[in-house]
Amino acid sequence: MTYQLTENSTNTSNSQCALKGEHLRICPQGYTCCTSVMEDSLSNLSRTEMEGLIRDAGRALQASLNGQYKVFDGYLLELLNRSEGVLQQSYPPALGSLYTQNTRVFSDLYTELRRYYRGSNVNIEEALNEFWARLLERMFKGANGRYLIGDDYLECVSKQSETLRPFGDNPRDLKLKVTRTFVAARSFVQGLVISGEVVRKVSQVPLSPECMRAIMKMTYCPHCRGVATARPCANYCTNVLKGCLANQADLDTEWRNLADAMLQVSNRFEGVSSVDVVFLSLPTHISEAITTMMDNIDTFNNKVFQACGNPREGGTSSTGLEEVKRSGKVTVEDSPTSGARLEKLVSDVSRRLRDMQPYWVSLPSTLCSDRVATRSQADKCWNGMARARYLPEVMGDGLASQINNPEVEIDITKPDMTIRQQIMQLKIMTNRLKNAFNGNDVDFQDTSDDVSGSGSGMCTDENCPRGPRLMVPSTDRPKVYAYPPENKKVVKASADHNLPSIAFYLLSLVMLLLRR
């Protein structure tokens, strides 16, 4: 049973604390009000309270990041659904049976785009190439319904299309816009997911025994000394928590780098290549490609027949393409974009990213703000030994700066491995975002099992995002698309993408040496 001293029972003078303090292991060993059992109970209580405060601060940030993710993710999926809906409404009247008999070709494209966005190991360039190949096959068959066209002949048609370009420049233009936009969108929402996961995991790291002693000494030793109303001196509290949260402060550099990279990627969601413009213009680009092929179908047929030979007759006389020609060109009504809504979403998430940048180094001050003495009480605050001024200087941020921390004993040569792993996750995500900003795609391997984790407390159903899944880059070389970065000052992705292959090489070398 936890024992907690009340204000009434501890608001006493030193003379009323008649116990000799030789038995105390944490608090000053003068006259005291506390027994050994009480000191142990208060020590456990102080740890529970402080870890609760750290988790609460983490929950607030995680909830904010997850909230931003849900809004942004929902909006992007809504755009995709709207885009597909426009296609489904506009195409049947103009394309007739050419569309109704081949709806799977179009729906499969949107399915692959959603899978890519959700983090599946989909090559978006190959998905688009597959779409155009299938569409060409259906349209060529439709234009030549009286012929028997087999797979071998279609393979020849496909080869000829590489030079004849039946759809004009539309496939190339669409690939550049879609790839760049989807790479940016996927990386951005994954950045929100990763940052929330880092906060959750780091906020669950337990306090060290040395930190527990320092927290107890700051929080409840005044009770044992009979000065329960004395608040900790401001610099004293800061030094205690800078020592306790030294490993967490080492996240600062990569945390800021991640936020900066996400802010850069968010700029890709504005202008003529903004995510809403690109998503909603998909039906128009595809219809323009179909119109281009229909306008040039006779020329295309003649050149294919010259290269591949005349196909055997024996098919049906009716063709879907003739039906399309009678209906006229495919026209798609422009779907109104939600520029103002997207602008507000980007503005909100950008503001939150800027606000969260100093989170890890400001956490000690944040936790101390409501519990320390005011400046007017500087001579009467608790300094760890008595009610008096606190003289030591405030330590810097991070593990290396705590070598001379007067309040918390820390071995700066032994960093917390959980936090080091999260620092690496931040580096990986930052490099992925830099690739996305520069128009590069990265092959991913699914590690969704690692994302879910089995941590306790932090991740509730309403706080945990459901995708995209956390991915790690493969060792393959990133794919580069011909879309130059708008900001030439942005540094290109570093060689950190080769870390997995380097680690594998070193592991193999070690195994070889051990065998010798």
Side-chain angles (χ1 to χ4, degrees), residues 122 149 185 233 235 273 284 343 386 397 401 424:
V122 173
I149 301 174
C233 302
N235 288 352
S273 60
T284 300
E343 183 178 346
D397 300 314
S401 300
M424 181 57 65

Side-chain angles (χ1 to χ4, degrees), residues 97-271:
S97 61
L98 183 63
Y99 173 77
T100 57
Q101 294 177 7
N102 300 290
T103 55
R104 185 71 179 270
V105 175
F106 301 95
S107 63
D108 282 353
L109 172 63
Y110 280 90
T111 298
E112 289 299 283
L113 292 177
R114 288 190 185 90
R115 289 184 63 228
Y116 175 84
Y117 168 72
R118 279 301 188 191
S120 297
N121 192 19
V122 173
N123 186 309
I124 196 168
E125 181 178 353
E126 291 179 0
L128 289 169
N129 289 341
E130 175 68 15
F131 166 74
W132 292 117
R134 293 173 66 188
L135 183 59
L136 172 63
E137 175 185 318
R138 302 303 196 279
M139 292 193 67
F140 185 78
K141 282 186 174 181
N144 298 279
R146 68 179 183 275
Y147 297 114
L148 293 174
I149 301 174
D151 292 340
D152 291 341
Y153 198 90
L154 287 174
E155 185 177 349
C156 181
V157 173
S158 177
K159 291 179 180 179
Q160 296 304 310
S161 68
E162 295 175 5
T163 55
L164 297 178
R165 295 164 55 219
F167 296 117
D169 291 331
N170 289 286
R172 183 182 65 86
D173 294 343
L174 187 63
K175 179 170 65 178
L176 293 177
K177 293 178 180 178
V178 167
T179 299
R180 179 177 175 177
T181 302
F182 272 80
V183 168
R186 180 168 83 159
S187 298
F188 186 79
V189 294
Q190 285 179 345
L192 292 173
V193 173
I194 294 300
S195 56
E197 281 295 297
V198 169
V199 173
R200 180 180 71 84
K201 292 180 180 179
V202 172
S203 297
Q204 292 177 341
V205 172
L207 299 176
S208 67
E210 293 77 18
C211 173
M212 288 173 53
R213 291 175 61 86
I215 294 292
M216 165 61 189
K217 188 176 180 181
M218 179 182 72
T219 307
Y220 284 114
C221 283
H223 291 253
C224 293
R225 292 290 287 174
V227 287
T229 57
R231 285 177 161 237
C233 302
N235 288 352
Y236 171 47
C237 181
T238 300
N239 273 345
V240 169
L241 288 178
K242 276 180 178 284
C244 288
L245 302 174
N247 282 282
Q248 286 84 338
D250 282 345
L251 287 157
D252 181 64
T253 299
E254 294 305 327
W255 184 256
R256 290 176 183 271
N257 288 343
L258 176 66
D260 287 339
M262 292 183 67
L263 287 170
Q264 288 180 332
V265 172
S266 69
N267 293 330
R268 293 292 189 219
F269 301 144
E270 301 173 351

Side-chain angles (χ1 to χ4, degrees), residues 255-432:
W255 184 256
R256 290 176 183 271
N257 288 343
L258 176 66
D260 287 339
M262 292 183 67
L263 287 170
Q264 288 180 332
V265 172
S266 69
N267 293 330
R268 293 292 189 219
F269 301 144
E270 301 173 351
V272 294
S273 60
S274 67
V275 63
D276 57 340
V277 172
V278 172
F279 281 27
L280 295 177
S281 65
L282 282 172
T284 300
H285 283 293
I286 296 172
S287 70
E288 290 174 352
I290 293 174
T291 300
T292 298
M293 182 168 180
M294 288 192 302
D295 290 343
N296 300 282
I297 190 62
D298 293 334
T299 302
F300 181 74
N301 277 347
N302 291 334
K303 291 185 177 181
V304 167
F305 292 164
Q306 290 176 6
C308 303
N310 292 322
R312 292 185 302 109
E313 294 191 7
T316 59
S317 58
S318 61
T319 66
L321 220 56
E322 292 175 354
E323 182 182 354
V324 174
K325 288 182 177 180
R326 288 195 299 270
S327 300
K329 293 183 178 181
V330 182
T331 57
V332 178
E333 293 185 5
D334 291 334
S335 178
T337 62
S338 304
R341 183 181 172 191
L342 177 62
E343 183 178 346
K344 184 178 185 306
L345 288 176
V346 173
S347 176
D348 289 346
V349 73
S350 297
R351 182 177 65 254
R352 190 68 192 104
L353 289 171
R354 293 188 183 95
D355 291 344
M356 81 177 193
Q357 284 186 309
Y359 175 78
W360 297 109
V361 293
S362 64
L363 188 56
S365 299
T366 302
L367 297 175
C368 284
S369 61
D370 295 332
R371 59 170 57 218
V372 298
T374 62
R375 289 186 177 181
S376 62
Q377 300 172 321
D379 292 329
K380 298 180 181 180
C381 56
W382 176 255
N383 65 7
M385 298 299 294
R387 205 170 190 174
R389 183 177 292 273
Y390 183 74
L391 300 178
E393 64 179 5
V394 176
M395 298 292 101
D397 300 314
L399 187 61
S401 300
Q402 308 309 311
I403 189 170
N404 294 318
N405 191 310
E407 309 306 334
V408 186
E409 295 182 10
I410 300 176
D411 185 349
I412 64 171
T413 66
K414 296 181 179 180
D416 183 271
M417 296 311 298
T418 298
I419 292 178
R420 297 295 139 173
Q421 290 170 358
Q422 297 312 304
I423 290 175
M424 181 57 65
Q425 288 293 332
L426 293 175
K427 287 183 178 180
I428 292 173
M429 190 66 242
T430 298
N431 286 328
R432 190 183 312 162

